[in-house]
Amino acid sequence: MALFGNAHAIDVGQAQQEYGRLLGAGEQVHAAFLLIRDTILFTDRRLILVDKQGITGRKVEYHSIPYRSISHFAVETAGHFDLDAELKIWISGSATPIEKTFTKGVDIYEVQGILTQFVAR
C-alpha cells in the first residue's frame, strides 16, 4: 500500500533504534508509521514527521511538534470504497492542518488514542 501513498505501521523497536539520535534522554517511541520514504513517529513527548526529500532521499527534514502545540485533531475512518483513513492535526497559530493518510490496515482509533493520551495532558 506504500505505493499508493498511504502510511502503514512499522515496528516500534526498529523506529526507536533508527531514529534514536533524534530523541531526547529517556524519550520513547510509542508508535511509528511509514509513508513511502517518510516516517511519522509518536513519542511520549512529541510528534515527529520525517520528510525525506529529493530523488535520493539524502536530504531529510525532521519536523518536531510538541503535543502541547496541537490545538485539535480529527480522524476519518476508512470506508467500503475509500480504503484509507485520514489524520488531520491543527497546530496553534496555523489555519491549515497537517494531513496524513493511513491504510485500512492501520487502526486509526489507536492513532487517535495516542494523540488523546498525549494532547490531553
Side-chain angles (χ1 to χ4, degrees):
M1 292 301 288
L3 294 176
F4 298 108
N6 296 344
H8 62 277
I10 59 175
D11 180 67
V12 172
Q14 175 187 348
Q16 182 84 26
Q17 183 177 12
E18 185 174 345
Y19 296 103
R21 293 177 47 192
L22 295 176
L23 304 176
E27 186 174 10
Q28 296 293 312
V29 175
H30 284 260
F33 299 91
L34 182 66
L35 172 60
I36 303 178
R37 297 184 310 174
D38 300 342
T39 305
I40 305 166
L41 303 172
F42 293 89
T43 77
D44 54 347
R45 299 179 190 172
R46 60 197 164 131
L47 176 65
I48 303 171
L49 306 175
V50 181
D51 179 16
K52 293 187 178 178
Q53 302 172 357
I55 295 171
T56 63
R58 291 182 65 170
K59 183 176 180 178
V60 182
E61 176 183 56
Y62 301 99
H63 189 160
S64 179
I65 304 168
Y67 292 119
R68 68 181 175 277
S69 69
I70 297 174
S71 61
H72 64 287
F73 59 90
V75 295
E76 181 180 302
T77 61
H80 292 292
F81 299 107
D82 182 14
L83 299 179
D84 54 297
E86 295 179 12
L87 169 66
K88 295 179 185 176
I89 300 172
W90 284 264
I91 307 301
S92 299
S94 177
T96 307
I98 295 171
E99 298 183 40
K100 297 296 176 184
T101 304
F102 296 81
T103 62
K104 190 173 184 176
V106 171
D107 184 356
I108 197 68
Y109 296 106
E110 177 186 2
V111 173
Q112 178 176 326
I114 293 167
L115 278 171
T116 300
Q117 177 183 355
F118 295 117
V119 171
R121 285 184 177 176

